[in-house]
Amino acid sequence: QVQLVESGGGLVQPGGSLRLSCAASGPIFSISTMGWYRQAPGKQRELVANITGGDVTNYADSMKGRFTISRDNAKNTVYLQMNSLKTEDTAVYYCHAKGIIQTWRRFASWGQGTQVTVSV
């Protein structure tokens, strides 16, 4: 069982910054893609950004230029640096990872979510 643990959420004023972290643990052989999704109240979960093992990144249009995703493969950790935050960025942010575990089976796991609130 691969577990993902997020940290770094909180309350921030508009225009502020936050950095989210997500660490994967368990019988991991390799992780192909790690990413962040978010879900605001009453809305569907949406992709924020993801990153491959080769550091190829993909962002949702509304996050381009404000958010930066990165990963530390040695630590099985993915980060999301969020700058110029807006009230509409308020949501629960979920980490996602997929890859292969040590029994050569594929896995796809979600974190428990971390709340980000952007408010005056």
Side-chain angles (χ1 to χ4, degrees):
Q1 185 91 10
V2 176
Q3 294 186 327
L4 304 179
V5 178
E6 301 117 331
S7 61
L11 173 64
V12 64
Q13 292 185 343
S17 298
L18 280 175
R19 187 186 192 220
L20 306 182
S21 300
C22 170
S25 63
I28 300 168
F29 177 76
S30 67
I31 300 178
S32 56
T33 302
M34 302 187 81
W36 292 93
Y37 290 73
R38 70 184 187 185
Q39 188 166 18
K43 295 188 177 181
Q44 290 187 331
R45 190 172 297 189
E46 62 176 351
L47 173 70
V48 175
N50 56 32
I51 183 169
T52 69
D55 289 338
V56 176
T57 59
N58 175 51
Y59 294 91
D61 287 343
S62 61
M63 285 61 147
K64 289 179 180 178
R66 299 189 300 125
F67 292 6
T68 302
I69 190 169
S70 61
R71 65 189 279 177
D72 184 333
N73 292 326
K75 297 180 179 179
N76 288 331
T77 298
V78 63
Y79 306 96
L80 184 69
Q81 178 67 43
M82 304 185 293
N83 299 328
S84 303
L85 283 162
K86 305 175 182 179
T87 55
E88 52 263 42
D89 293 318
T90 296
V92 178
Y93 284 69
Y94 295 92
C95 178
H96 181 263
K98 58 182 181 181
I100 299 173
I101 59 175
Q102 293 172 0
T103 57
W104 300 103
R105 292 184 178 181
R106 297 179 186 273
F107 77 89
S109 298
W110 290 95
Q112 80 285 355
T114 185
Q115 177 70 46
V116 171
T117 301
V118 184
S119 179
V120 298

